[in-house]
Amino acid sequence: MEAGSIGITAISATILALIVATFNHFLGPAYDPKEPPVIRPKLPYIGHIIGLLQYGLRYFEFLSTKHSLPIFTLQTLGMKVYVVNSPDLIQAVQKHAKALSFNPFVSFMSPRIFGCGKEAMALINENIDGERGNWGYLSDTSTGMHAALAPSESLDWMTKTMLDKLMDFVGPLAASKSGTELNLYKWVRTTFTVSSTEAAYGPKNPFNHLPDLEDAFWDFESDFTMILLGVAPSITARKGYQARIRFINAMDKYFAEGGPDTGSDLIKARWKSHHDYGGVKYAGAFEIGDLIGVLINATPTFFWMLMHIFSRPDLLAELRAEISGVTDVTPTEETTTTQAGTKKKQQQQIRRIVVSKLKEHCPILLSLYQETLRVQTHNSSSRWVIKDTLLADRYLVKAGNVIQMPGYPVHMMPAIYGADAETFKPRRFIKLAASNDGKKDRAAKQHPASFRSFGGGATLCPGRHFATAELCAATAMFVMQFDMQPADGPWKLPDWAHGKLASSVPPPARDVRVRVLRREENVEWRFGFEGSIGKFEVLSG
């Protein structure tokens, strides 16, 4: 879930950069013996490019598994990619924030993502590296985002707004006495698209008022790769290209009608940056990047959490027992009139899941959440080498090249996660926490760069607290209120969709048809909010 304020997917930038470099150079760059060892492709110079285009992030994973090296070099015509698999070396990369920077990817990819021209790029690039102090459009936007998304009243407002809206989608499922058959990922996608954007944009949320906007955003996501390649996208990525226009028009209308006035502090901070730096006319386009951060990963994560839970009856029972401990119950009495005209009293209950208590009293839920991210994350953190840098006094990375730090190989390391690292174990992170005595000792034993789902270093995802709260609370509500079974046959987890360059947590390759049934009659479920929701203690890189 790594994010910059632009929300760029770094692997996409790498592929495009390699293609450009290949066509711009006749001979490959010279190799220095101090550089990491070279992994040569079967097809010289262009073999790695073909591999990346064919397999996306999996290509790094394939090579990392095959060669078991802490760092290696992929050499093509005109550019090298240094692939880093060692947590120690990842930490070393993150410490060199100026020499090994993410910012060039912002400059490189923004015109393709936003469809913007030179004037907008001048706004983005102004003092992008902070050489003239801590100011500039990106700097101020990032500062405002981090403040709004840190544990605070602002974050509490966003979480409460999201969960309140979520109940609009849960309600119809609960109202059906005979159960509802649905495509699970499609339901999750709609629910999270509208609910999460409501948390950002408030009551004037375009996704709540324009039903076709959901499909427009996900059409853009589907054509993301071709849009990034930038080869006649109006033709090669026509659906996504038109969807972007639809989205920008809707967001421009939202801003013009004062939408931020009743929105979150997050959107207010971004709107202020647009005003301060003369970027109001680009506000709608720039929201594409931020929306990628809000939706692209949380949506499939919720799907995978539900799949892992309901396909494991023992885990489901344990979670229900655990969440019951943070649920308060209020008995009520409802009077109804029968067809014969007589009054009938019916005992009911209002049950509230107290969101602020989840973080302290639901260790299985939090462990399941982190294990889902560990297993389902297929991301890669990127850096552009600004100047020659020696990593760990051993490996030279040279200016003008790219560093990739894929998360999945780290997440599968037996040295970190045990001999069963490749197995999904929902209680894994309870054991990790229990093996450490206090926060200080935990930091010493659990490598700080060993959990890559939120990125790390200068690009550590600012939205990780919001994502954790919304996903854990939404999962708790669904688990307590519903039973769910496959519509046909036993549970079978689908493969994940390969080649989804915009996401760190890929969606399923196919949807899953399920039947959802309310567990209990005469029970009304709600979220409860007592005090600040606070910070959920989960690992980050």
Side-chain angles (χ1 to χ4, degrees):
M1 294 186 182
E2 180 170 8
S5 62
I6 305 299
I8 292 175
T9 303
I11 176 62
S12 310
T14 300
I15 294 174
L16 185 59
L18 288 173
I19 292 173
V20 172
T22 297
F23 284 101
N24 285 345
H25 293 266
F26 182 72
L27 295 174
Y31 175 74
D32 189 310
K34 294 180 181 179
E35 291 180 273
V38 175
I39 304 298
R40 302 190 184 280
K42 293 181 180 179
L43 190 61
Y45 301 119
I46 63 172
H48 292 312
I49 296 173
I50 294 172
L52 284 167
L53 287 173
Q54 184 175 0
Y55 297 109
L57 289 176
R58 283 197 304 161
Y59 187 65
F60 294 142
E61 296 171 8
F62 291 158
L63 294 178
S64 298
T65 301
K66 181 179 180 180
H67 297 283
S68 299
L69 293 169
I71 183 172
F72 55 83
T73 303
L74 305 182
Q75 190 163 3
T76 68
L77 290 171
M79 181 174 287
K80 299 170 186 172
V81 178
Y82 304 111
V83 180
V84 183
N85 295 309
S86 159
D88 288 334
L89 291 177
I90 290 173
Q91 195 172 19
V93 169
Q94 292 176 169
K95 287 179 179 178
H96 294 279
K98 292 290 186 181
L100 310 175
S101 175
F102 183 73
N103 289 335
F105 288 105
V106 177
S107 300
F108 193 54
M109 303 308 297
S110 292
R112 294 172 175 85
I113 293 176
F114 305 141
C116 58
K118 292 182 179 179
E119 186 178 338
M121 288 310 303
L123 174 68
I124 290 173
N125 288 325
E126 179 71 9
N127 197 36
I128 190 173
D129 292 315
E131 299 294 338
R132 289 173 282 161
N134 294 325
W135 63 271
Y137 171 75
L138 279 187
S139 176
D140 284 10
T141 301
S142 178
T143 299
M145 288 176 63
H146 278 80
L149 291 168
S152 62
E153 289 184 7
S154 295
L155 185 61
D156 287 349
W157 185 93
M158 287 185 64
T159 304
K160 184 178 185 302
T161 300
M162 186 276 174
L163 296 177
D164 284 345
K165 192 63 184 177
L166 178 91
M167 296 306 289
D168 288 350
F169 296 91
V170 171
L173 299 183
S176 173
K177 293 184 178 181
S178 59
T180 304
E181 191 170 305
L182 51 82
N183 291 322
L184 182 59
Y185 186 70
K186 179 63 174 71
W187 181 84
V188 166
R189 198 190 81 171
T190 298
T191 300
F192 260 67
T193 298
V194 178
S195 302
S196 296
T197 53
E198 190 88 354
Y201 301 129
K204 295 184 179 179
N205 175 23
F207 285 86
N208 195 30
H209 301 293
L210 301 170
D212 66 318
L213 207 56
E214 176 201 342
D215 286 337
F217 174 77
W218 292 102
D219 284 345
F220 174 80
E221 184 268 346
S222 294
D223 277 350
F224 195 71
T225 302
M226 294 307 299
I227 286 172
L228 283 173
L229 289 176
V231 180
S234 62
I235 299 172
T236 59
R238 180 174 177 79
K239 203 170 183 180
Y241 185 89
Q242 293 297 328
R244 180 173 63 189
I245 294 173
R246 176 76 181 96
F247 172 80
I248 291 173
N249 289 339
M251 292 311 304
D252 284 343
K253 187 173 184 289
Y254 168 81
F255 286 117
E257 294 178 352
D261 294 342
T262 53
S264 67
D265 286 349
L266 174 66
I267 195 63
K268 288 184 174 97
R270 294 206 292 257
W271 185 232
K272 182 178 184 300
S273 293
H274 297 321
H275 272 281
D276 290 349
Y277 289 93
V280 169
K281 62 184 175 180
Y282 307 117
F286 288 174
E287 278 303 302
I288 294 172
D290 297 306
L291 199 58
I292 287 174
V294 171
L295 294 178
I296 289 291
N297 296 306
T299 302
T301 299
F302 186 48
F303 169 86
W304 292 117
M305 288 179 73
L306 295 181
M307 289 294 294
H308 284 300
I309 292 168
F310 282 91
S311 62
R312 293 171 169 83
D314 291 346
L315 173 62
L316 178 61
E318 285 187 87
L319 280 171
R320 284 173 173 165
E322 182 178 79
I323 298 164
S324 292
V326 298
T327 302
D328 59 35
V329 181
T330 303
T332 63
E333 190 173 75
E334 184 179 87
T335 301
T336 59
T337 303
T338 67
Q339 290 182 347
T342 59
K343 300 291 185 180
K344 181 181 178 182
K345 291 183 178 181
Q346 192 172 34
Q347 295 297 319
Q348 287 195 316
Q349 285 185 348
I350 295 175
R351 297 183 188 176
R352 296 190 320 149
I353 297 173
V354 182
V355 178
S356 59
K357 294 182 179 180
L358 291 172
K359 62 183 181 293
E360 296 292 340
H361 301 286
C362 295
I364 300 174
L365 177 63
L366 264 66
S367 177
L368 162 81
Y369 167 66
Q370 293 174 92
E371 180 72 348
T372 300
L373 289 177
R374 185 187 75 87
V375 171
Q376 303 296 158
T377 294
H378 294 270
N379 65 349
S380 186
S381 303
S382 286
R383 300 294 185 270
W384 201 288
V385 184
I386 304 298
K387 66 178 182 179
D388 291 4
T389 303
L390 193 64
L391 297 177
D393 298 321
R394 181 177 178 183
Y395 298 106
L396 176 67
V397 291
K398 303 190 76 172
N401 298 303
V402 169
I403 294 174
Q404 288 289 340
M405 297 170 281
Y408 192 77
V410 176
H411 289 176
M412 295 296 112
M413 284 185 174
I416 297 172
Y417 292 104
D420 58 357
E422 295 187 5
T423 302
F424 184 91
K425 294 187 68 176
R427 300 162 191 81
R428 183 184 303 278
F429 286 86
I430 297 177
K431 294 180 180 179
L432 285 175
S435 68
N436 298 292
D437 182 20
K439 188 174 181 180
K440 183 177 180 180
D441 192 41
R442 176 176 181 172
K445 291 184 178 181
Q446 185 67 27
H447 197 290
S450 65
F451 192 78
R452 306 301 304 162
S453 296
F454 298 110
T459 57
L460 181 64
C461 175
R464 64 193 183 280
H465 303 300
F466 174 65
T468 300
E470 68 170 344
L471 283 163
C472 288
T475 300
M477 178 59 71
F478 199 94
V479 161
M480 296 305 287
Q481 198 163 356
F482 301 109
D483 284 322
M484 183 170 71
Q485 291 292 335
D488 183 23
W491 283 108
K492 185 178 180 181
L493 267 66
D495 192 10
W496 52 277
H498 304 293
K500 290 285 187 179
L501 298 182
S503 59
S504 296
V505 180
R510 62 172 177 82
D511 213 332
V512 177
R513 191 76 176 167
V514 297
R515 185 165 189 78
V516 179
L517 181 66
R518 183 174 63 184
R519 293 176 64 208
E520 299 169 284
E521 298 287 342
N522 304 320
V523 174
E524 179 185 345
W525 283 90
R526 300 176 183 174
F527 287 110
F529 301 93
E530 296 179 0
S532 176
I533 294 172
K535 178 182 178 181
F536 285 69
E537 290 292 343
V538 296
L539 293 178
S540 59

